[in-house]
Amino acid sequence: MGDYSFQFLIEELAVAAQHQVPFVVVLLNNSYLGLIRQAEKAYNMDYEVQLSFRNINCPEIGDYGVDHVKATEALGCLALRVFEPDRLAGAFQQARELAAARRVPVVVEVITERVTDIAMGPEIDQIAEFEEVVDLAEEDEPAGARR
Ligand SMILES: Cc1ncc(C[n+]2csc(CCOP(=O)(O)OP(=O)(O)O)c2C)c(N)n1
Ligand SMILES: [Mg+2]
């Protein structure tokens, strides 16, 4: 899910911790309401859609605003933050193991570039891509990417 989608349903993490429901959340943080920014483009607007600010409590994320790791931990769950694509596969693996061992949701926050057009469509096989897709051959995928 996106960073803002995460923020407006974040309280559900505490419910999952309460009932010991383990799952992995992949949180794509562009510090933007990306889809709404996209919808405003036709009107030459970029109005009230960016979520960026310098969080004085979390220098490691620069101007990405909300510290989702700390927010997740405050609700009794676990979180990992990933900046580099080659750390993704390892983080997913670690998240699955942590969720199984600790019986709580584990959030993998991925810090993405801020401005990109978001892939979308009415069906999973009708997704429009707005930028080049990196479609790796199976043998080129990072170790651990498949299960
Ligand atoms: C409950 C609800 N409120 C508002 C919207 C309108 N809406 C669609 S996309 C979006 C922004 C989502 O931002 P984010 O989760 O950060 O995802 P991004 O587009 O940046 O990947 C909003 C507010 C919605 N779809 N559902
Ligand atoms: Mg976003």
Side-chain angles (χ1 to χ4, degrees):
M1 65 182 76
D3 47 314
Y4 189 66
S5 307
F6 181 79
Q7 287 168 29
F8 68 42
L9 285 170
I10 193 169
E11 75 284 356
E12 299 301 333
L13 286 176
V15 179
Q18 183 182 30
H19 293 283
Q20 298 185 296
V21 184
F23 54 90
V24 174
V25 179
V26 181
L27 162 55
L28 297 179
N29 183 3
N30 56 3
S31 197
Y32 239 120
L33 306 175
L35 222 53
I36 310 298
R37 181 195 64 78
Q38 230 163 303
E40 290 185 359
K41 271 169 50 172
Y43 308 98
N44 284 323
M45 287 166 56
D46 188 349
Y47 181 70
E48 296 292 358
V49 284
Q50 72 87 16
L51 304 172
S52 166
F53 64 93
R54 195 179 66 83
N55 184 334
I56 58 170
N57 297 312
C58 190
E60 91 169 36
I61 55 170
D63 60 359
Y64 273 62
V66 173
D67 181 347
H68 297 108
V69 170
K70 216 180 259 177
T72 299
E73 289 171 355
L75 294 165
C77 303
L78 297 167
L80 309 168
R81 182 176 283 133
V82 176
F83 293 93
E84 298 297 331
D86 63 5
R87 289 262 301 105
L88 278 174
F92 292 148
Q93 182 62 33
Q94 193 184 349
R96 281 194 293 258
E97 289 168 9
L98 281 170
R102 305 298 300 277
R103 308 293 300 169
V104 290
V106 180
V107 174
V108 178
E109 180 188 41
V110 184
I111 304 293
T112 71
E113 60 191 315
R114 295 213 53 226
V115 178
T116 48
D117 284 344
I118 312 298
M120 58 176 155
E123 297 284 347
I124 195 71
D125 58 354
Q126 293 176 43
I127 302 293
E129 297 284 355
F130 299 98
E131 298 181 18
E132 190 189 348
V133 176
V134 180
D135 193 5
L136 297 178
E138 202 171 320
E139 63 270 19
D140 294 334
E141 288 190 8
R146 275 173 192 273
R147 257 161 68 95

